[in-house]
Amino acid sequence: MITSIFSKSKPINIILVVVFLVLLFILSGYTTVFNNLDAIAGGAAKLFITLFSVFLLDFIISKNSLTKRNSYAIMTFGLLFGLFPNALKYSDLLLSNLFILFALRRIISLHTRVSLKKKFFDAAFWIAMATLFYFWAILFFAILIVALIYHSQNDIKNTIIPFTGIAAVAILLFSYNIIFYDQYLRATNFDLSASLDYTPYNSAESIIKLTALFVAFIWIIVYYFRTLGDKNKKLRPSYFLIAWSAVIAILIAIIAPIKNGSEYLFLFAPFSVIMANYIEIITERWFKEIFVAMFIIIPIVSLLL
């Protein structure tokens, strides 16, 4: 039933995801969101960024034909927030993820071969912006390097242009610091902290969630690569870039300083695209329903433990 609702790309599907996220946001943070006016404003900003990310992801997918005409990706995107609701609590992380989505929008659209230089500049600019809010987003520059290999067309200028995007962000940062703090750089501009301490995962809730996530990811990524040969040859680099994005997101989660589920936020978008492509090829309707229902049932079960 769930997959049949989202089997077509309809406005009502986005509305359903939006309603789900609004309810999730209220239920997961009701003890702090309504404490005072500042908390309400901060909560509204986080919710806006989250909802905007949904629309942006849907735009990226439809514009680049990353899935067929369905809403499986945004459905998965919403369900992943249900699996890891702590991702809704950090405005810096949400902003960084939003900027990465902007960067991926430009990188994935490189397959059109239109305005390559502008897209390389924009992608570098947005990744650099994301790094200001969450330092380890810097690892997404690896995706840009892969994109350069795929799409640079042996033009040396294309390899230089991303540095101008980074320089633009550096100028903005320096200007901001000089105006407000009378110095070029501040120690607080970048939080380089990382952690390989996984003791926060030593709970039944975390073990169940992470097991479900990674078992599903390994399962669907295998089918994802197996079906790449059937994809439009022109779009194959875009599909590979999505997979690379997922790998980078997992690396970020591995070294993230805070391990409460929010560190997987960068994985949500690429996982959603990969998941949508997998659901499309499942012929057994009952298996589709069970596979999707797992992402609904597990958060509920984990709350009861």
Side-chain angles (χ1 to χ4, degrees):
M1 179 179 177
I2 300 170
T3 55
S4 60
I5 293 173
F6 289 90
S7 62
K8 302 292 183 183
S9 182
K10 299 177 181 178
I12 186 63
N13 294 337
I14 294 184
I15 294 173
L16 289 173
V17 174
V18 166
V19 170
F20 171 76
L21 287 173
V22 171
L23 291 174
L24 178 67
F25 183 82
I26 293 172
L27 293 174
S28 63
Y30 68 94
T31 55
T32 57
V33 170
F34 302 107
N35 279 351
N36 52 58
L37 193 60
D38 289 340
I40 292 173
K46 294 173 189 175
L47 183 59
F48 174 80
I49 296 169
T50 303
L51 298 182
F52 188 82
S53 298
V54 174
F55 286 97
L56 180 57
L57 177 62
D58 187 59
F59 174 81
I60 294 170
I61 291 169
S62 59
K63 190 74 173 179
N64 296 283
S65 302
L66 295 177
T67 68
K68 296 177 182 177
R69 296 182 62 83
N70 56 61
S71 299
Y72 293 142
I74 60 168
M75 174 195 71
T76 305
F77 193 69
L79 291 177
L80 287 171
F81 274 105
L83 195 64
F84 299 108
N86 282 328
L88 294 166
K89 296 181 179 180
Y90 302 95
S91 56
D92 287 356
L93 189 59
L94 287 167
L95 264 176
S96 183
N97 183 63
L98 178 64
F99 292 147
I100 291 298
L101 284 176
F102 277 124
L104 288 177
R105 170 179 170 261
R106 303 304 274 169
I107 291 172
I108 292 171
S109 67
L110 288 168
H111 68 85
T112 63
R113 303 289 181 178
V114 176
S115 303
L116 290 183
K117 292 178 175 59
K118 186 176 186 300
K119 290 176 180 178
F120 282 127
F121 174 89
D122 290 348
F125 177 87
W126 289 119
I127 295 173
M129 285 292 293
T131 302
L132 294 181
F133 290 91
Y134 191 83
F135 177 76
W136 295 113
I138 196 172
L139 295 180
F140 277 98
F141 277 113
I143 305 299
L144 186 55
I145 294 171
V146 175
L148 280 166
I149 295 171
Y150 279 131
H151 300 290
S152 65
Q153 297 178 328
N154 298 318
D155 187 346
I156 191 65
K157 293 180 182 178
N158 289 338
T159 61
I160 298 173
I161 286 173
F163 290 101
T164 63
I166 298 170
V169 174
I171 291 170
L172 290 175
L173 176 63
F174 294 156
S175 301
Y176 174 83
N177 284 335
I178 290 171
I179 292 170
F180 291 98
Y181 303 103
D182 196 28
Q183 53 183 309
Y184 288 104
L185 277 176
R186 302 172 64 230
T188 55
N189 284 146
F190 300 101
D191 182 3
L192 306 183
S193 58
S195 173
L196 295 177
D197 178 15
Y198 303 106
T199 53
Y201 294 153
N202 290 338
S203 67
E205 178 184 355
S206 296
I207 291 171
I208 291 173
K209 288 181 177 181
L210 293 177
T211 300
L213 179 70
F214 283 105
V215 168
F217 179 74
I218 293 170
W219 181 269
I220 65 178
I221 198 70
V222 170
Y223 281 89
Y224 183 76
F225 282 114
R226 282 178 59 181
T227 58
L228 277 183
D230 301 327
K231 303 294 185 183
N232 186 321
K233 187 176 180 180
K234 185 180 178 182
L235 292 173
R236 282 178 201 167
S238 297
Y239 287 105
F240 274 110
L241 290 169
I242 290 293
W244 276 109
S245 298
V247 172
I248 294 299
I250 292 172
L251 289 176
I252 291 174
I254 289 172
I255 62 175
I258 298 175
K259 290 183 169 58
N260 60 4
S262 63
E263 66 274 18
Y264 292 98
L265 178 59
F266 293 107
L267 181 61
F268 287 10
F271 184 96
S272 297
V273 175
I274 296 169
M275 176 80 155
N277 277 269
Y278 175 67
I279 295 175
E280 289 173 353
I281 65 172
I282 300 176
T283 55
E284 298 87 352
R285 184 175 175 181
W286 63 270
F287 187 69
K288 280 186 182 182
E289 297 293 343
I290 292 175
F291 200 76
V292 173
M294 176 182 70
F295 287 90
I296 300 173
I297 295 171
I298 287 176
I300 298 173
V301 172
S302 63
L303 288 173
L304 299 176
L305 294 176

